[in-house]
Amino acid sequence: MDIIDALILGSLQGMTEFLPVSSSGHLVLGQHFLGLSLPGNFFEVLVHLGTLCSVLVVFRTEILKLIQSIKSAESKIMLSALVIGTIPAVLIGLSMKDKISQLFENPLAVSFSLILTGIWLVMTKWFVNQQSNINLKNGFLIGCAQAIAIIPGISRSGATIGVAMLLGISPEKAAKFSFLLAIPAIAGAGLLTAIDIDPALVSSLSSGTIIAAFFSSFLVGWAALTWLLKLISKGQFHWFGLYCMTIGILTLSI
């Protein structure tokens, strides 16, 4: 891998981590088309760290307010919902780690998952009830959607925001909870994969490649998340479904 490859894959991760199009699925397809077979999990951890930093920057005000008002009833419910919502992904990630890892080597499975993601996203156009709020039950159900999205090709943000909207939560509230829920999810996934990193493989990437991958995923992720929040507020979330279905269909034969 050279710096250009790192910039492409880092930008791809940054763009697709938050957009409802599956970053894991795009990374699998991106590596396939670039003819790369990255050893170990170091690169995956690296670009996930970049996107984690971007969500922390974009939601820095909300995170600070949540910490400052931690004793309020609303903040306690939000924090409890985030904890409960994280549990399903932890359980699935730990118990099915090896089986899920095999899917990352199967572009065909990713294509089918992208098509399913696309169908789901289009369906969100008709999720119009917006009277519910985040509570422990909703937090758990949204967390279950996040757990399913561990499968490459299933969008994490698409699954979580879509389920939240199905439960009657407004798109804006759904997006805020989804991306706050992404913080422990991305950090946990990075830690889980970091455990298996072979230190000898880290040296296979140059310092320039590492820097390019991190900052491209961070900066592009920052821009993509900011853009997505604007689109959600305008009710244009479902349009990403057409993109996912198109990419899934076009890549069925690879």
Side-chain angles (χ1 to χ4, degrees), residues 29-64:
L29 296 176
Q31 292 179 43
H32 177 83
F33 286 119
L34 289 174
L36 298 174
S37 180
L38 301 180
N41 300 310
F42 176 68
F43 187 84
E44 182 184 342
V45 174
L46 182 64
V47 293
H48 271 82
L49 179 60
T51 50
L52 174 61
C53 290
S54 64
V55 74
L56 290 174
V57 169
V58 172
F59 283 96
R60 61 190 182 279
T61 302
E62 287 79 2
I63 295 171
L64 183 60

Side-chain angles (χ1 to χ4, degrees), residues 6-225:
L7 285 172
I8 292 173
L9 292 179
S11 299
L12 189 62
Q13 166 69 19
M15 176 64 71
T16 57
E17 176 66 49
F18 304 113
L19 299 185
V21 295
S22 177
S23 63
S24 57
H26 277 72
L27 276 181
V28 171
L29 296 176
Q31 292 179 43
H32 177 83
F33 286 119
L34 289 174
L36 298 174
S37 180
L38 301 180
N41 300 310
F42 176 68
F43 187 84
E44 182 184 342
V45 174
L46 182 64
V47 293
H48 271 82
L49 179 60
T51 50
L52 174 61
C53 290
S54 64
V55 74
L56 290 174
V57 169
V58 172
F59 283 96
R60 61 190 182 279
T61 302
E62 287 79 2
I63 295 171
L64 183 60
K65 287 181 179 179
L66 196 60
I67 294 173
Q68 291 175 338
S69 61
I70 195 169
K71 294 183 179 181
S72 70
E74 183 179 357
S75 292
K76 287 180 179 178
I77 292 174
M78 175 64 77
L79 288 171
S80 298
L82 289 170
V83 171
I84 291 175
T86 301
I87 293 174
V90 172
L91 295 177
I92 296 297
L94 291 175
S95 63
M96 302 184 66
K97 181 181 176 183
D98 293 335
K99 292 183 179 179
I100 293 171
S101 296
Q102 293 175 5
L103 293 176
F104 280 85
E105 301 174 2
N106 189 341
L108 182 61
V110 170
S111 297
F112 279 113
S113 296
L114 282 169
I115 293 172
L116 291 176
T117 292
I119 294 172
W120 170 251
L121 291 173
V122 171
M123 289 172 60
T124 64
K125 178 178 175 61
W126 292 280
F127 300 164
V128 294
N129 176 24
Q130 301 180 12
Q131 303 303 315
S132 298
N133 291 308
I134 299 295
N135 53 40
L136 299 186
K137 176 185 175 182
N138 288 344
F140 175 74
L141 293 175
I142 296 169
C144 289
Q146 177 170 259
I148 294 173
I150 293 176
I151 299 172
I154 301 295
S155 164
R156 195 207 67 82
S157 62
T160 53
I161 295 175
V163 166
M165 292 171 62
L166 180 63
L167 293 171
I169 299 168
S170 69
E172 291 81 4
K173 289 182 180 179
K176 177 181 177 181
F177 184 78
S178 170
F179 293 122
L180 288 176
L181 191 63
I183 295 174
I186 296 174
L191 179 61
L192 189 63
T193 53
I195 294 174
D196 294 331
I197 290 178
D198 182 351
L201 295 175
V202 177
S203 61
S204 65
L205 298 177
S206 68
S207 57
T209 299
I210 293 174
I211 293 172
F214 173 81
F215 280 102
S216 59
S217 62
F218 167 62
L219 295 174
V220 175
W222 185 351
L225 180 52

